Amino acid sequence: MLNPDLDAVRAQLRNARGPQLWRSLDQMADTPAFRELVEREFPQGASELNDPISRRTFLKLMGASLALAGVTGCTYMPREKIAPFINQPLDRVPGVPLYYATSVLLNGYATGVLVRSNDGRPTKIEPNVNHPGSSGGTDIYAQAEILRLYDPDRSTQVLNKGEVATWDACFEALTAALPAGGAGLRLLTTTVTSPTLADQIAQVLAAYPQARWYQYDPINRDNVYEGARLAFGEDVTTRYDFSKAHLVVSLDADFLAPGPGFAAYARTFMDGRRVRHDTEEMNRLYVVEASPSNTGISADHRLPLKAGLVAAFTQALASKLGIPGVSAAEVPEAAKHFLEVLAEELEAHKGKGNSLLIAGDQQPPLVHALVHAINAELGNVGSTVIYTDPVEARPANQTSEISSLVNEMAAGQVQTLVMIGGNPVYNAPGDLRFADALAKVPFSFHLNYYVDETSAAVTWHIPAAHSLESWSDARAFDGTAGIIQPLIEPIFGGKTSHELLAALLGQPSVDPLDIVQTYWQGQLAGDFASAWQAALANGVIPDTAAATRTPTLSEAGLNGSAAAAGEIELVFRPDPSIWDGSYANNAWLMEVPRPLTKLVWDNAAIMSPRTAIKLLNLPFDPNQLVGGKVESEHYLEKLIEINGKVVRIEYRGGKMELPLWLLPGHVEDSITVHLGYGRSKAGTVGTGVGVNVYPLRTSDAPWFGTIDAVADTGSTYQLVSTQDHWTMEQRDLYRVGNFEEFKHDPEYISKEVYQHEFGTDEAHFERMQPGVDYSTHNNSWGMTINLTACIGCNSCVVACQAENNIPVVGKTQVGVGREMHWLRIDRYFAGSDLDNPDTYMMPMACVQCENAPCELVCPVAATVHDYEGLNNMVYNRCVGTKYCSNNCPYKVRRFNFLQYSDTVTPILKLSRNPDVTLRNRGMMEKCTYCVQRISGARIEAKKAAVAAGEDTYTITDDAIVMACEAACPTEAIVFGDLNNKDSRVASWKSEPHNYGILGELNTLPRTTYIARIRNPVEALSVHDTAEH
Amino acid sequence: MAQAQSIRTQSQPDTGDTYLLPGETYTSITSVIGDVPLTPPMKTPKGWIFGFAISFALLMVFLVSVSWLLIRGVGIWGINIPVGWGMDIINFVWWIGIGHAGTLISAILLLLNQGWRNSINRFAEAMTLFAVACAGQYPILHLGRPWLFYWLTPYPNTHGLWPNFRSALDWDVFAISTYATVSLLFWIVGLIPDFATLRDRATNPLVKRIYGVAALGWRGSARHWHRYEMASLLLAGLSTPLVVSVHSTISYDFAISQIPGWQVTVFPPYFVAGAVFAGFAMVLLLMIPVRTFYGFESYITIRHLDVMAKVMLATGMIVVYGYFMEVFGSLYSSSKYEQYLLYNRLYGPSAWAYYGLLFCNAVAIQPLWFRRVRQNIPALMIISTIVSVGMWLERYVIIVISLEREFLPSSWDRYIPTVWDWSLYLGTIGLFFTLTFLFIRVLPMINIFEIRMYLHQETERAHRREAALHGHGHGHGHDHDHGHAHASAD
């Protein structure tokens, strides 16, 4: 070895004295051996860095050892190659995300979004405030589009009867199958709002005059259009303006659930309810409904009424309000008082234009017509109710359209069927037997995102591009059009609907961008290039909202008679998570607990406890359900055990077996089932989950009907929910107050609680140690969650999942209590009446305690506080003792009991947020207030400060938006800097109804809640006012 | 020689105020105890082989269970959020508790000069060690990433990080490692004179050499004895605080938290008493079959059993007091969470565990007030078994029932152990018994020299008493052949 003999050197020096020492040092400094010694301070290999050739060797060795280090670490990190850009795109800075405006669709209606693109990969959907369909919030479907884009199960190839084929071959077959003049050509689409697509369809219909175009969505608005025709004799779209509404009445209308206009409605409706100590007015909501909904739980007064009785209720209400030409109707005894009070209040609002009645999409046309009449009578038209031109390209009764199509197919009149999206084999009304009819069509083409039930039954399947991969356009609920622009090339070469239609017109390889641009060139005023750029940048095309109309009411439509409600009613509802089944393969949506039932991964026969006791002859005393005995724990625990009993429901000649699930507040003698389950070809996630109820859904009664018989099969099925407990156990968790009392004394809610708990108006929790003064730091982060505004829609939960790379764990793991959602929504039933309880929604994530119980007990200091008050997780340091979770009173920590993160499926890697560590098994994780967004904003603020030559940096109040906050359609979640007294969060924290949950533990949570304020009328106040 | 016998059910003679059956001599003591480890391999009793085979099979269950655990992660168990600790920590505390009897017997009773401890201390100490070995598995295996367990120790590292000294889990690291080290030392030091005896008695040269190495050159000189006594005393002094501190520290795992049912100030003494309680039950459970099987009734007499039963009763009553204090605490706290805990224990879904615990630990020990029961071997076996189950249930009640339902009803959930929870538990039982059987086979399970010394002391005592009774000192009926010195080798 070249190593100098250090011992010899030392010996030499030891013997030297005085000047001799220096001489010998000098002498030695000249020797090669000493030079060697100096060079080799790090003895071996280090000085080779000076040598270019051996530096390469060194790097090689380092690379190899790094690779080996990867082998030895006990994590599942597969090897991968990375490659730099050869030509870096101009607008791309590595690590800095870009945002693009586009739209995502639900049932054809657009929600405007901003999509974050990390290095060319769309990774997160944010609302587009400029877009009327979003106005600063999204639904869960928009949030889940990211996972849908990267779904490993999505269709990747053109299939001809299941065999792999090419687009060219498909085009050839399509051209060959097109009959001259279009006789026998049928086009089936889902609801179309896209102006370009409508234009293309018009061109196809012009080229093939005998062709016909049908639309079908299982969750359609047939009743809405039929109702408008009944009332006005023409097609109009009804739009609501909640900002002017002081009194809102929902007649089985779930306007706070996803659907056209959801985000905008939810926001403007809640704008009238998020009261502060000096708020003078608060709107009031009455809800009449069968199946408890997000709207129902937000109501000040809710009347459970069978869906079939809503028509009679509306008739009675209309006649009380003096609408001429209305047939008289009887309402059940229990509804009479409610009706009376409601009618009186509406009367009082008459002529002011500040009340609003809304009829549910699933209610028959008569109800809609009556509601139009009442709104007109009360003077709401033009104020809270706005009529416009239809937003859909061609409003249609979709149920009768699909019936006509099936009739034609069965009669052999259909030669070529081109389907764009949709899954009619699965979701067409059961009595139509669509699949049988489809078998009679010689040539069928299906452009679809998945190879689903319909794709399997057609001759040609064409993979569809995701909306984040395609050029297109779509209209929002108010008609405003927006351009859909791609953020990524079609990953698997999918085609857009525009390309398929162009192929029908004989153009197999036209660029969809050209199609969309060509259409808009004829529409946009002024300079096209700049108008197009503006449209892309804003996500909306200005002045495209549907024109308002003033239709004239015809009394003739109002005298219809309401069908009598049957003894036991079956109600079909869209699934709150997977909609009509088209999101069945989306694991985020499958695993997000359904808002009221908290069920995951299944549908059920949902009914009230009283109904279950009666129908199944259970040994429970139904009288205990009312009168405050609801808290009698033993009774409830026993009662809840019947969840999962499988019942057989016989309905209109068919029958199905479903596990039952109890939902307090569901109307008696009625069973709700959710659509969208029991898919046979959904993909690895959705196939075989739940029970398909479409076969029982007939074209004449798509939303509700009378059940023939219900029977207990004697078997049970394991249903999984994330929350089995119903009540709050009289604990001070969710605070509620009444607006009138709140106006009188804004502090009355907390006073009541503390009087009850401690006998004083205020609570002082002493601490043994001096606290940290965060006010001296630059920022100190905090959050408020407004319980009045939370409707339990889950948007925040899915947004959090998307932002923070939160894995899904599957039904089995949720079943043993291991769901991973950092943010969950707790649901409690309260009040003395289990037939119609108060239902509370409480979003709960890590509250970032200043005195955090978790930090104290972690033996390796893997969870620590930072100087801005965040309770951080150091994932790499976590060894997984789970002690932190045990000691967390809020139970918001989540543990990777197994390897939950999928690190091996290649396409899923694209979906991840690169700013958030992926957690492997054995680590604890939890909400840290989107710390990556805070850091990003801090870096930007510091850069700006440095550029401006300042010593201190300022982060503005709007610079950081949490993922949950951004997605929330009702602005219930507010995040910001507590040190900035002008911030929104600081102003909410100073409100008297702001409180910290479990305050008596002295954890000093940074996330606090704004107590729920309700606005009941005296006459109907039967509920307990404050629950603690 | 030792022969397999069924456990005696008829009542056995009380030895009066001594703890040895009459008729024992130094030679009989040495040969009866010392011959067991010196039995040639081919003459190993069939009963031992049978017992060892079962234990070893269970040890294989342990290996399978741990392997699967390391491959898949702690998710193979039934733990969840909110119940982050389940059978892993229950068993950990249970095993640690069992070990306590050994330390108490060897340390505190030595300092208190309780001669009767001599017959049982070796066995009890061995049990301590093996129980700690079993217990020690759990804190490591319960980690999400067990390969990083050393992060809990304060070692110099490139992270520049200490463990969090505020965490009770970190205190555990020190408590358990100290406990294991001192117990092991104490046990090995105590074995040295007996190793020498075995060395001197062994005929097989290889065996002679092995025991010779283990005896560390012990010759039984007065200087050796002096140092030995001093070392024992010092180690006893060191162990004494450990008896109290180890289980107190483990109780802090719960007591420093803020979970209703965990944050109980009575926990440290209550845990220590519970540990001794469980430990004595386990000593009885193991010793009764062994003494019968190897014919050690002369050394572990019915009086020993009687005294151990008394200790069990006394510590058991302390534990019962702890239960009362828990109930009192939750009623007096005026905290609805604490009060709900009591409700949940009495009426919640896991109430069976609480009632089981009350029966096992409070009711089932009451017959021990009666001497007839304390000296009835089947009764002792049954009660000891019940107590062992009861102490397991106690930890189940504390850990699981508290976590299942605490502050937010939205998070309430059940804990259902899986087959892997049980297999790891069975596996540690296998580890425990494998070690115990090996110990029985190769080491003198009763302290030979201390029994000899005790015999000497008893003989002297009887001699003096007789002399006092019969006037001047010519004792009759005394067998003076045995000599009066410590006999390190026959």
Side-chain angles (χ1 to χ4, degrees), chain A residues 245-276:
Chain A
H246 288 183
L247 178 66
V248 180
V249 181
S250 150
L251 296 167
D252 211 7
D254 193 6
F255 62 89
L256 296 178
F262 158 65
Y265 289 162
R267 171 147 306 195
T268 45
F269 171 68
M270 280 304 170
D271 281 344
R273 292 182 75 82
R274 282 183 299 263
V275 293
R276 292 174 180 261

Side-chain angles (χ1 to χ4, degrees), chain B residues 84-151:
Chain B
W85 288 347
M87 274 183 70
D88 44 0
I89 304 299
I90 295 172
N91 295 337
F92 161 64
V93 182
W94 189 73
W95 278 120
I96 284 277
I98 280 173
H100 263 59
T103 325
L104 181 94
I105 291 165
S106 51
I108 294 188
L109 297 186
L110 175 70
L111 294 182
L112 294 178
N113 216 356
Q114 295 293 309
W116 58 272
R117 62 172 275 283
N118 296 332
S119 311
I120 55 168
N121 72 338
R122 168 77 43 75
F123 201 93
E125 282 170 31
M127 201 189 74
T128 296
L129 278 179
F130 305 151
V132 171
C134 293
Q137 312 289 328
Y138 286 104
I140 293 176
L141 293 178
H142 101 289
L143 295 178
R145 302 197 290 166
W147 50 91
L148 299 176
F149 72 93
Y150 61 92
W151 285 3

Side-chain angles (χ1 to χ4, degrees), chain B residues 38 64 150 176 241 299 330 334 426 432 472:
Chain B
L38 292 175
V64 170
Y150 61 92
I176 296 165
Y299 318 116
S330 44
S334 82
L426 271 183
F432 180 80
H472 298 289

Side-chain angles (χ1 to χ4, degrees), chain A residues 637 731 757 816 818 824 826 853 855 857-859 876 878-883 886-887 891 897 921 1000, chain B residues 70-71 75 77 79-80 84-85 142 144-145 164 167 253 257-259 336-337 347 405-407 410-411:
Chain A
E637 278 187 12
R731 296 175 177 186
E757 292 272 317
V816 291
R818 295 171 180 173
R824 63 170 196 264
D826 290 347
E855 292 171 9
V857 298
C858 174
N876 289 345
C878 178
V879 297
T881 67
K882 305 168 287 287
Y883 198 177
N886 289 344
N887 207 26
K891 288 289 171 285
F897 289 94
R921 77 131 140 136
E1000 63 267 49
Chain B
L70 294 178
I71 292 168
W77 294 339
I79 47 172
N80 55 21
W85 288 347
H142 101 289
R145 302 197 290 166
N164 179 9
S167 168
D253 285 350
S257 80
Q258 61 166 352
I259 312 299
K336 56 179 72 150
Y337 308 110
Y347 306 111
R405 299 186 160 194
E406 24 141 308
F407 295 99
S410 63
S411 306

Side-chain angles (χ1 to χ4, degrees), chain A residues 74 76 633-634 637 722-725 727-733 757 816-818 824 826 828 844 853 855-861 875-883 885-891 893-895 897-898 921-923 997-998 1000-1001 1003, chain B residues 69-85 88 142-148 151-152 159 161-164 166-170 252-254 256-259 262 336-337 340 343 347 349 403 405-413:
Chain A
C74 276
Y76 303 79
E633 255 316 303
H634 249 44
E637 278 187 12
T722 56
Q723 184 181 345
D724 296 322
H725 205 78
T727 69
M728 275 195 295
E729 297 291 333
Q730 289 135 327
R731 296 175 177 186
D732 166 33
L733 308 175
E757 292 272 317
V816 291
R818 295 171 180 173
R824 63 170 196 264
D826 290 347
Y828 299 106
M844 176 67 67
E855 292 171 9
L856 171 73
V857 298
C858 174
V860 292
Y875 297 122
N876 289 345
R877 178 70 175 167
C878 178
V879 297
T881 67
K882 305 168 287 287
Y883 198 177
S885 168
N886 289 344
N887 207 26
C888 172
Y890 309 97
K891 288 289 171 285
R893 291 177 157 266
R894 296 289 176 250
F895 189 68
F897 289 94
L898 299 168
R921 77 131 140 136
M923 289 179 194
I997 184 171
L998 298 179
E1000 63 267 49
L1001 299 180
T1003 51
Chain B
L69 175 69
L70 294 178
I71 292 168
R72 292 274 289 150
V74 291
I76 63 171
W77 294 339
I79 47 172
N80 55 21
I81 308 288
V83 189
W85 288 347
D88 44 0
H142 101 289
L143 295 178
R145 302 197 290 166
W147 50 91
L148 299 176
W151 285 3
L152 273 75
H159 305 144
L161 281 173
W162 287 108
N164 179 9
R166 296 191 301 167
S167 168
L169 286 190
D170 213 47
Y252 296 151
D253 285 350
F254 310 104
I256 69 157
S257 80
Q258 61 166 352
I259 312 299
W262 283 22
K336 56 179 72 150
Y337 308 110
Y340 187 83
Y343 175 87
Y347 306 111
L403 287 176
R405 299 186 160 194
E406 24 141 308
F407 295 99
L408 299 190
S410 63
S411 306
W412 291 359
D413 210 340

Side-chain angles (χ1 to χ4, degrees), chain A residues 439-514:
Chain A
K440 297 189 177 152
V441 177
F443 300 102
S444 49
F445 297 82
H446 189 213
L447 175 76
N448 202 27
Y449 197 68
Y450 293 101
V451 183
D452 61 15
E453 292 84 347
T454 307
S455 305
V458 295
T459 41
W460 286 89
H461 161 83
I462 305 146
H466 191 271
S467 62
L468 296 174
E469 298 172 330
S470 16
W471 285 104
S472 184
D473 51 15
R475 290 188 190 277
F477 74 106
D478 70 341
T480 304
I483 303 291
I484 294 174
Q485 58 173 327
L487 276 91
I488 190 168
E489 279 280 307
I491 301 175
F492 297 109
K495 295 287 173 191
T496 63
S497 50
H498 304 297
E499 286 166 281
L500 181 59
L501 281 171
L504 276 176
L505 294 164
Q507 304 158 304
S509 54
V510 56
D511 186 348
L513 170 62
D514 286 345

Side-chain angles (χ1 to χ4, degrees), chain A residues 899-933:
Chain A
Q899 179 65 31
Y900 292 136
S901 293
D902 182 345
T903 55
V904 289
T905 307
I907 191 169
L908 287 179
K909 294 179 189 176
L910 298 175
S911 70
R912 303 261 156 71
N913 181 356
D915 293 332
V916 179
T917 314
L918 206 60
R919 286 82 54 187
N920 281 316
R921 77 131 140 136
M923 289 179 194
M924 193 60 76
E925 57 184 76
K926 66 164 195 92
C927 163
T928 48
Y929 274 165
C930 288
V931 64
Q932 65 280 5
R933 296 188 177 204

